[in-house]
Amino acid sequence: MMLVAINPSSETASAKSNTSYDSVLKTAKKHLGARYVWGATGPTHFDCSGFTKYVYKKSIKKTIPRTAQQQYNHTKKVSKSNIKKGDLVYFGGSKHSISHVGMYIGNGKMIDSQNRGVIVERVYSPWWHVVGFSRPANLTY
């Protein structure tokens, strides 16, 4: 009989660090207070989709499309009842006219870049009309 030693913890830890929600959230929070500038993709100024694109790329090396509409169109859709931390929340007139995106952080809140800069705010606010949700990556929690 041959015994093989396997060290699952090193493999798991490595996989976790590449796709962990903690990494995504840490990167997003690092930019709280950054100024909003239309068309900006960071690292000191952002528009909404520039912020989400930057956060995913810098934290877990995941490339997502540039605009909010493209991010919605090219990422896996999830229902409101299945939303998880790190998922993206889209706003606008309809699923075909998305004008804003934020990253869900739990408890009905998101981090987004808007006219007040990068902030934490409620997903369901009078000035936002939620039109959908997507999951750009499968994150570990």
Side-chain angles (χ1 to χ4, degrees):
M1 175 160 73
M2 181 177 178
L3 296 175
V4 178
I6 298 175
N7 184 353
S9 62
S10 65
E11 221 173 284
T12 305
S14 173
K16 254 188 188 177
S17 67
N18 290 337
T19 58
S20 101
Y21 169 69
D22 289 341
S23 178
V24 173
L25 181 62
K26 182 180 177 183
T27 301
K29 281 185 167 182
K30 187 169 137 182
H31 296 284
L32 285 170
R35 280 193 37 225
Y36 174 89
V37 174
W38 186 84
T41 59
T44 59
H45 302 80
F46 299 95
D47 69 8
C48 65
S49 56
F51 177 70
T52 52
K53 179 177 178 60
Y54 178 89
V55 166
Y56 267 92
K57 182 67 174 175
K58 288 296 179 184
S59 63
I60 63 168
K61 310 278 189 265
K62 172 73 176 174
T63 300
I64 60 175
R66 172 61 186 97
T67 69
Q69 185 70 58
Q70 290 168 340
Q71 288 176 9
Y72 179 79
N73 291 347
H74 298 287
T75 54
K76 179 184 174 191
K77 308 310 170 282
V78 293
S79 65
K80 178 181 175 181
S81 61
N82 288 322
I83 193 167
K84 292 183 178 182
K85 295 175 183 178
D87 287 347
L88 299 181
V89 184
Y90 300 91
F91 305 86
S94 74
K95 292 176 181 180
H96 304 289
S97 65
I98 291 170
S99 57
H100 188 69
V101 61
M103 187 183 80
Y104 187 69
I105 59 170
N107 299 319
K109 293 183 179 178
M110 67 177 172
I111 296 180
D112 65 331
S113 181
Q114 43 104 317
N115 61 351
R116 292 181 287 155
V118 177
I119 63 168
V120 173
E121 66 175 324
R122 299 201 62 68
V123 169
Y124 294 97
S125 299
W127 48 89
W128 297 126
H129 176 249
V130 176
V131 296
F133 308 91
S134 79
R135 183 161 300 144
N138 289 320
L139 301 174
T140 56
Y141 300 93

